[in-house]
Amino acid sequence: MNRQIFQYHPVVGYQFVPGIKARLDHETGGYLMRTNQAGFRCRHEFVKERREGVSRVLLFGDSYTAGDGVSDKYRYSELLEKLIPGIEVYNFGLSGSGTDQQYLIWREFARDIEHDVVVISVLVENIRRVVVRYRPFQTQEGETRMVPKPYFTLAANGKLSLHHVPVPQECPAEKADGAADKGGRFPWLRQQVNRMGPKVKDVLQALSGYQPVPGFDRADHPDWRLLEAILLRWVAELDKNVVIFPIPLYQHVEENASATAYQARFASLAAPPRVLVHDPLSDMQRVPLAERRGYRFQKDCHPTPSAHEVLAKSLARCIGPMLNKSQTFPLI
């Protein structure tokens, strides 16, 4: 995370600095971003009342939703507005956040905002983020520090308890214990593989049957049970239509890892007609494998503009009918 564009928040941990315009460095040469006065990367200022004749979608997620790597106009939130005339999308995406923090964003910033649909975009990697108390970031000097975050624990009786609120402001040095997210299992091995280059890494993952998110493997896995409990509590607090939108990792899109386990876990959350689970993976896999590689950058795994376009079209076909929009959306 770039500390210059974030500021401390006592409940969520951090947020974007309100009212900034910036060009951020990136392998593509850089991208443009701006934040509204509430401190979110959204072109709309948040107001409680809906405009007459305009439907409103509240969108929550992490950096894939906030749009790391792309300028604002290329994000799937903006593209969704173009695909479905007569809607506005309030983007509450926060880079580096977990589903637990996104739920707290809903409670702190969005609970009283009038809306028609809530979209909870869950990058499937979030199953690792909800179980930790710290997330890593690189300082300008290249040092790894740990940013404290709020977190929930799940008791045997199914009760969720919130911890680390107010969120501590001290950033300890890198931890070796399970309190911090290391980005997956076997960090030393991943470092060695990464040094071999992206092509070798992709081949090794495909040959090894790599599973980047093993927390989805069993319905009773403690990591899934925690993520599930957070999502169920969040959905229970909503009185409008909800779309749970699991966003796959590139390993799933490029078929280097199986998506079967996470798809089964998320499918269990559906409660139609009010709560839908919409998985965009099949839409992302409609094109040849070589073309799918263009859905992520060469070094940065975040979605490229073409991936955002697919996500927008996929989500539009789900949200359109919920809003009684008669528009026909093309297949990807």
Side-chain angles (χ1 to χ4, degrees):
M1 295 187 298
N2 185 332
R3 297 286 287 181
Q4 294 179 332
I5 63 171
F6 294 98
Q7 66 180 22
Y8 171 76
H9 189 277
V11 175
V12 180
Y14 61 93
Q15 66 174 128
F16 289 110
V17 174
I20 62 172
K21 297 180 182 179
R23 182 177 181 85
L24 302 184
D25 292 335
H26 192 257
E27 64 181 76
T28 58
Y31 62 96
L32 301 173
M33 65 158 287
R34 64 185 301 172
T35 62
N36 63 16
Q37 293 304 311
F40 290 93
R41 194 177 161 186
C42 184
R43 70 186 185 91
H44 301 291
E45 294 296 340
F46 298 154
V47 296
K48 179 178 179 180
E49 296 80 11
R50 282 173 298 187
R51 291 183 291 150
E52 184 175 356
V54 176
S55 300
R56 181 179 289 162
V57 176
L58 306 186
L59 176 62
F60 299 85
D62 59 11
S63 58
Y64 280 48
T65 296
D68 282 22
V70 299
S71 296
D72 293 354
K73 64 181 180 180
Y74 298 117
R75 299 181 301 168
Y76 74 90
S77 52
E78 272 75 4
L79 299 177
L80 194 61
E81 292 183 333
K82 294 180 179 179
L83 288 168
I84 309 178
I87 74 165
E88 62 182 5
V89 179
Y90 278 13
N91 190 331
F92 289 89
L94 178 61
S95 302
S97 65
T99 305
D100 46 3
Q101 292 165 288
Q102 295 150 27
Y103 164 58
L104 295 174
I105 288 172
W106 151 258
R107 294 203 323 192
E108 289 293 307
F109 294 95
R111 187 194 296 267
D112 295 329
I113 293 176
E114 294 181 353
H115 61 277
D116 299 279
V117 178
V118 169
V119 177
I120 305 174
S121 295
V122 187
L123 176 66
V124 297
E125 186 187 57
N126 274 224
I127 196 169
R128 294 203 305 257
R129 299 182 186 181
V130 298
V131 298
V132 298
R133 301 181 302 229
Y134 300 87
R135 292 298 315 284
F137 76 92
Q138 292 287 327
T139 67
Q140 291 181 312
E141 294 76 25
E143 181 184 4
T144 299
R145 305 291 291 182
M146 292 295 164
V147 177
K149 62 178 285 292
Y151 67 96
F152 289 91
T153 55
L154 182 64
N157 63 2
K159 181 181 178 181
L160 278 171
S161 297
L162 178 61
H163 309 272
H164 257 189
V165 173
V167 179
Q169 297 192 52
E170 299 77 14
C171 295
E174 186 170 2
K175 288 177 170 288
D177 59 27
D181 180 10
K182 301 292 184 179
R185 299 174 294 171
F186 314 120
W188 62 271
L189 179 59
R190 285 186 288 105
Q191 289 175 1
Q192 297 302 316
V193 172
N194 288 338
R195 291 193 181 101
M196 300 178 187
K199 291 184 178 180
V200 175
K201 178 180 178 181
D202 293 345
V203 171
L204 289 176
Q205 288 183 348
L207 292 175
S208 66
Y210 175 66
Q211 171 52 279
V213 280
F216 291 107
D217 286 349
R218 308 189 322 267
D220 63 347
H221 193 290
D223 295 0
W224 165 247
R225 290 188 61 241
L226 179 59
L227 178 59
E228 177 189 42
I230 293 168
L231 288 168
L232 289 175
R233 174 187 278 194
W234 191 350
V235 168
E237 294 182 10
L238 299 169
D239 59 2
K240 296 288 174 48
N241 290 332
V242 184
V243 177
I244 298 175
F245 191 50
I247 298 180
L249 297 172
Y250 74 84
Q251 291 95 338
H252 302 123
V253 175
E254 297 169 24
E255 301 180 65
N256 291 332
S258 172
T260 302
Y262 89 71
Q263 289 177 320
R265 301 289 86 78
F266 280 105
S268 69
L269 300 175
R274 192 178 73 86
V275 181
L276 301 183
V277 174
H278 182 72
D279 185 351
L281 182 60
S282 61
D283 288 326
M284 302 189 80
Q285 292 180 334
R286 290 185 185 276
V287 300
L289 185 59
E291 191 173 336
R292 288 178 230 163
R293 180 59 182 85
Y295 288 161
R296 59 183 169 110
F297 298 102
Q298 287 301 309
K299 297 178 182 178
D300 179 6
C301 65
H302 283 96
T304 59
S306 60
H308 277 275
E309 183 178 358
V310 177
L311 291 172
K313 289 180 178 178
S314 184
L315 189 55
R317 290 203 308 277
C318 175
I319 290 179
M322 299 179 88
L323 297 174
N324 296 316
K325 304 292 184 180
S326 59
Q327 186 133 349
T328 299
F329 303 101
L331 292 177
I332 307 304

